[in-house]
Amino acid sequence: MSAASSPGAKRIGVFGGAFDPPHNAHVALAQAALERFGLDTLYIIPTGQAWHKARALSAPVHRLAMTRLAFKDVPRVVVDDRELQRAGPTFTIDTLQALQAENPQAQLYLFLGADQFAAFRQWHRWQDILELAIICIADRAQSTLAQTQFDAYTGHANRFFTLKLPLMAVSATQIRQLMASGVATAKGIAQLVPEPVARYISLHQLYRSH
Ligand code: ATP
């Protein structure tokens, strides 16, 4: 048995995203992850300009600030800016390897939504990711998990778990669109993002159309 799977090994969760902006489903996912998997620490990792997102993201400084605000009251969360600091494309495998090196005894758990999982086999070195981390997938309203999606991973079945949480239809795209259309003020998105995030968006006039 490897050290990583020893009983009592530290459990470290990793949850990455553009967080442009972070919203209530991200926070709900983090809370459920901490609780269901008994995590010691959950790293929230805003991504750099990810290779698979065509859209230019908001400035790292804003996404990092909003992510810190969104998760500030969630215990055992560490918002980690290492991917924002990295020059060039950022890959999840590099982050996982770094975290494993920093925590050699720990078992890593990688959390993602079902939409991301649908494209998982296009991720850089996905087989190495599977070696390093247990993959925990949350259903999304527009992208629910089908058992057939796991058929491609025969031999790795024990590396996947689903994270049950109530379906939440919110997306960052929806929030950006609401703000850009001018129909929403900070008040208008108050149901979708944590309150300090709504205030930050308003203060910095993010997602306004030009
Ligand atoms: P966008 O609309 O810009 O694509 P997003 O809402 O998907 O953004 P991301 O920051 O890209 O937000 O997502 C980070 C992670 O959170 C991804 O793994 C994504 O699948 C997951 N996620 C986002 N929204 C939800 C949701 N409503 N339910 C479950 N998982 C979600």
Side-chain angles (χ1 to χ4, degrees):
M1 186 188 286
S2 73
S5 57
S6 311
K10 215 169 155 198
R11 295 161 167 246
I12 293 187
V14 179
F15 180 37
F19 301 126
D20 193 15
H23 52 65
N24 289 347
H26 295 138
V27 178
L29 192 155
Q31 283 166 330
L34 282 156
E35 193 185 311
R36 310 279 158 73
F37 289 86
L39 302 177
D40 296 286
T41 306
L42 174 60
Y43 286 91
I44 306 282
I45 306 197
T47 53
Q49 179 66 53
W51 57 271
H52 60 288
K53 290 240 175 185
R55 182 181 67 84
L57 301 175
S58 300
V61 66
H62 287 315
R63 293 188 291 116
L64 181 61
M66 289 189 288
T67 306
R68 291 207 164 114
L69 288 171
F71 292 97
K72 71 181 171 48
D73 294 329
V74 186
R76 306 197 299 286
V77 154
V78 173
V79 174
D80 184 302
D81 69 352
R82 71 183 70 209
E83 292 197 2
L84 297 176
Q85 303 294 349
R86 213 177 281 155
T90 63
F91 296 114
T92 301
I93 184 64
D94 298 330
T95 302
L96 292 174
Q97 282 180 327
L99 286 171
Q100 188 75 83
E102 289 160 25
N103 304 275
Q105 304 297 320
Q107 172 62 58
L108 302 181
Y109 294 81
L110 177 67
F111 292 88
L112 38 94
D115 57 315
Q116 295 287 307
F117 177 57
F120 182 69
R121 275 154 61 92
Q122 279 127 53
W123 286 27
H124 184 55
R125 295 174 57 196
W126 64 267
Q127 293 98 331
D128 295 333
I129 294 179
L130 278 183
E131 290 288 318
L132 266 184
I134 290 173
I135 314 296
C136 308
I137 308 147
D139 257 347
R140 274 190 91 154
Q142 285 86 4
S143 180
T144 48
L145 272 178
Q147 192 51 45
T148 50
Q149 281 178 267
F150 293 99
D151 292 349
Y153 300 96
T154 37
H156 298 290
N158 62 348
R159 303 302 283 169
F160 295 101
F161 283 93
T162 50
L163 174 65
K164 298 267 173 247
L165 76 164
L167 287 185
M168 298 175 74
V170 55
S171 72
T173 303
Q174 171 196 11
I175 295 157
R176 292 192 303 273
Q177 284 172 350
L178 277 169
M179 293 306 295
S181 70
V183 295
T185 57
K187 234 177 168 181
I189 57 167
Q191 307 301 314
L192 305 174
V193 299
E195 200 263 337
V197 174
R199 265 192 282 125
Y200 188 97
I201 290 172
S202 174
L203 183 66
H204 295 274
Q205 304 192 351
L206 301 183
Y207 312 123
R208 305 268 175 215
S209 55
H210 297 292

